[in-house]
Amino acid sequence: MSFNDFLEMFSVFCERAPKELKAYYAFRIYDYDEDGFLSLSDIAKTLRALCRDSLEEKDRRLIADRVMKECNMDDNGAISFSEFENMVTKSAEFAETFHIRI
């Protein structure tokens, strides 16, 4: 990753960054295996990272299953970027919470 890539990525966390740009980088961050899709494993890892020990494993699995069911419109077992973007752009909270205050 170049310094310019780092700066671009960091600018996404600005409160005024466009929702579409935030969605693009959120998807890349959550796609742990970098296969271009969010799998149940990717979602579980994201939940583990965000919630730490506040959720039990069974609760993380339940949430991951629900996220997959809601977002995976073509029912292929993985969430594509377009499916992810469709869901997060509908969420007012996404743009408000995907930022870092300095």
Side-chain angles (χ1 to χ4, degrees):
M1 174 184 286
S2 71
F3 184 68
N4 284 339
D5 291 337
F6 173 77
L7 289 177
E8 181 180 315
M9 183 182 70
F10 196 70
S11 72
V12 169
F13 294 107
C14 172
E15 290 180 36
R16 294 183 302 265
K19 190 183 279 192
E20 295 79 15
L21 188 62
K22 289 177 178 282
Y24 173 75
Y25 276 96
F27 186 86
R28 287 187 59 199
I29 290 167
Y30 302 155
D31 183 14
Y32 283 88
D33 58 9
E34 298 179 353
D35 66 352
F37 294 92
L38 300 183
S39 64
L40 281 173
S41 174
D42 292 326
I43 297 167
K45 287 178 183 178
T46 299
L47 287 168
R48 198 172 300 112
L50 294 174
C51 300
R52 307 235 187 256
D53 295 328
S54 65
L55 289 176
E56 294 181 22
E57 183 63 29
K58 65 179 177 130
D59 295 325
R60 284 194 296 264
R61 276 183 290 182
L62 178 65
I63 293 168
D65 287 339
R66 287 185 181 173
V67 167
M68 185 63 71
K69 185 176 180 176
E70 282 187 41
C71 294
N72 185 21
M73 304 309 285
D74 60 8
D75 203 29
N76 66 349
I79 300 169
S80 67
F81 174 70
S82 62
E83 290 169 328
F84 179 80
E85 184 179 36
N86 181 47
M87 293 304 289
V88 298
T89 55
K90 292 178 182 177
S91 170
E93 295 88 22
F94 174 73
E96 295 171 6
T97 57
F98 196 76
H99 70 271
I100 299 173
R101 287 196 178 135
I102 298 177

